[in-house]
Amino acid sequence: MIDMVEREDTIISEEEAAQYDRQIRLWGLDAQKRLRGSRVLLIGLKGLGAEVAKNLILAGVKGLTLLDHEKVTEESCRAQFLIPVGSEGRNRAQASLERAQYLNPMVEVKADTEDAESKPDEFFLQFDAVCLTGCPRDLMVRVDQVCSQRNVKVFCGDVFGYHGYMFSNLGPEHHYVEEKPKAAKPSQESNDGPEAKKPKVDPNETTMVKKTASFCPLKEALEVDWTSEKAKASLKRTPPDYFLLQVLLKFRTDKGRDPHPSSFAEDAPLLRQIRDDVLEAQGLSSDLLSDDFVTYCFSEMAPVCAVVGGVLGQEIVKALSQRDAPHRNFFFFDGLKGSGVVDFFGSK
């Protein structure tokens, strides 16, 4: 794998060093250089997309392309702070551009008003990472397959009411470094029993440890074979949000939209029916997702967007900077409980 610093000789100017001073002290100059040499494509500029955009721009990527063909509606402004008041009818990416750029003039921010589904495969390969929010399942699977073959890192995310998720595929071999406390070798002169032989850890001294993590494609992560003994054994600890995600992605595919509060009477029974169909098709009981799930999965909620967007943005930063252990490969957030969980699905 070609290191991004080697591929593009990124020089941090004095102005940038001052701007990113806290980050450089936090994760080091090399990590900031990698980040500064990275271009990211962000698809979907609803509430979650706005949070991700903010976090990437403030972190200091080289370039961010905002891709969204949808128009601004009254509802899309509620959780989307980049769109100015009175922008109804404008393109969502274009309407977000000015405020996004204002966050950090050092980042090249662009708006693309075309439909992501109409883009050729080559389009996605010009970026170091692609993040898809609010997208159809087929588009996410397609982009993931195209990008993973060419070492482009892929992230997906959504917010459905009180629930949110993110997925990442950093390829079969993602290399990163992690800071660990440095263990001092036991003194040869000491013969004070077993305690003397234990390495002493100095909390003030650390060392960088090189590590590798492996990921799997999105399609594989969504198509777990629950008839296998290993999968059956893990079923009890599988978060219900994994199945909720499958139900909501199926709804999006079937209806071409997400569940909407104005059509709750129509959408709620349909969601329960899709739940039954999806779980039955996998040989699972519909009890894995209780009936009341329909009460909590409508619309984007700004606080949930902030939490999931914070995690998603941080994971993209970690992946591009090759610093710190990534989440493998799902993160689910439950706003009702106020807690999140990381879990892996697919072959390791």
Side-chain angles (χ1 to χ4, degrees):
M1 183 178 124
I2 299 173
D3 190 284
M4 279 184 267
V5 178
E6 295 171 352
R7 193 192 61 201
E8 186 171 339
D9 188 17
T10 306
I11 297 170
I12 301 283
S13 67
E14 285 185 28
E15 189 183 359
E16 288 170 332
Q19 170 90 357
Y20 306 127
D21 176 64
R22 180 176 169 276
Q23 293 170 194
I24 290 170
R25 280 186 280 137
L26 184 64
W27 55 56
L29 185 60
D30 284 347
Q32 189 66 44
K33 279 185 176 180
R34 291 190 187 98
L35 198 58
R36 193 73 188 97
S38 300
R39 295 187 181 276
V40 182
L41 171 65
L42 174 62
I43 304 174
L45 266 295
K46 290 174 70 179
L48 178 60
E51 290 285 352
V52 175
K54 174 198 71 176
N55 293 327
L56 293 177
I57 292 167
L58 292 176
V61 295
K62 181 177 181 63
L64 179 66
T65 299
L66 311 175
L67 174 61
D68 196 323
H69 68 288
E70 298 283 0
K71 298 280 191 274
V72 176
T73 62
E74 184 185 347
E75 185 192 15
S76 66
C77 293
R78 287 175 193 160
Q80 221 281 34
F81 52 83
L82 293 177
I83 298 176
V85 175
S87 298
E88 282 86 345
R90 291 181 66 197
N91 172 269
R92 219 152 48 185
Q94 199 70 47
S96 305
L97 182 60
E98 187 178 352
R99 285 185 176 178
Q101 183 64 80
Y102 183 74
L103 290 168
N104 188 351
M106 295 181 192
V107 177
E108 300 167 17
V109 187
K110 298 176 184 175
D112 188 326
T113 61
E114 293 184 8
D115 189 340
E117 295 191 68
S118 69
K119 294 285 191 184
D121 291 353
E122 296 75 36
F123 171 77
F124 304 102
L125 300 176
Q126 63 185 303
F127 302 95
D128 299 286
V130 176
C131 178
L132 302 97
T133 67
C135 293
R137 183 186 189 276
D138 288 350
L139 176 63
M140 292 192 289
V141 167
R142 175 196 153 210
V143 172
D144 180 60
Q145 287 175 334
V146 168
C147 290
S148 58
Q149 292 169 1
R150 298 286 290 274
N151 213 25
V152 177
K153 301 179 188 315
V154 178
F155 300 83
C156 304
D158 265 307
V159 168
F160 302 101
Y162 283 88
H163 298 271
Y165 90 96
M166 67 144 283
F167 166 85
S168 59
N169 177 9
L170 309 185
E173 280 192 2
H174 171 65
H175 302 284
Y176 64 96
V177 294
E178 201 169 13
E179 194 170 6
K180 296 281 189 183
K182 196 171 187 178
K185 290 182 180 177
S187 170
Q188 296 296 322
E189 299 167 11
S190 176
N191 292 309
D192 297 329
E195 287 300 315
K197 295 179 182 175
K198 287 185 178 177
K200 291 184 173 62
V201 176
D202 183 349
N204 297 317
E205 273 202 73
T206 59
T207 183
M208 303 308 290
V209 181
K210 291 182 179 179
K211 294 193 171 184
T212 304
S214 64
F215 290 75
C216 76
L218 175 63
K219 189 172 190 294
E220 187 180 310
L222 291 173
E223 296 177 2
V224 173
D225 177 12
W226 292 103
T227 61
S228 73
E229 292 305 316
K230 187 179 177 184
K232 280 180 185 175
S234 67
L235 193 57
K236 285 182 182 177
R237 60 175 180 78
T238 298
D241 293 60
Y242 174 76
F243 301 112
L244 174 64
L245 170 61
Q246 303 221 354
V247 170
L248 290 161
L249 288 180
K250 181 79 166 62
F251 184 100
R252 185 180 283 168
T253 299
D254 292 352
K255 302 288 284 185
R257 63 173 177 85
D258 288 337
H260 196 274
S262 64
S263 52
F264 181 83
E266 170 197 338
D267 291 352
L270 180 57
L271 280 165
R272 290 194 184 103
Q273 183 59 55
I274 292 174
R275 183 261 327 255
D276 295 345
D277 295 344
V278 164
L279 291 171
E280 186 182 322
Q282 298 178 62
L284 299 170
S285 166
S286 59
D287 294 343
L288 287 168
L289 202 54
S290 60
D291 276 0
D292 65 353
F293 82 91
V294 297
T295 314
Y296 308 110
C297 64
F298 282 70
S299 296
E300 280 191 317
M301 295 183 68
V304 180
C305 289
V307 173
V308 179
V311 174
L312 186 45
Q314 187 61 33
E315 286 303 302
I316 297 172
V317 166
K318 280 158 60 176
L320 293 173
S321 64
Q322 297 174 5
R323 178 68 194 265
D324 296 333
H327 288 337
R328 295 177 66 240
N329 51 358
F330 279 96
F331 166 78
F332 296 105
F333 178 70
D334 184 339
L336 292 166
K337 296 176 181 174
S339 63
V341 60
V342 175
D343 210 336
F344 188 91
F345 294 90
S347 62
K348 306 242 179 183

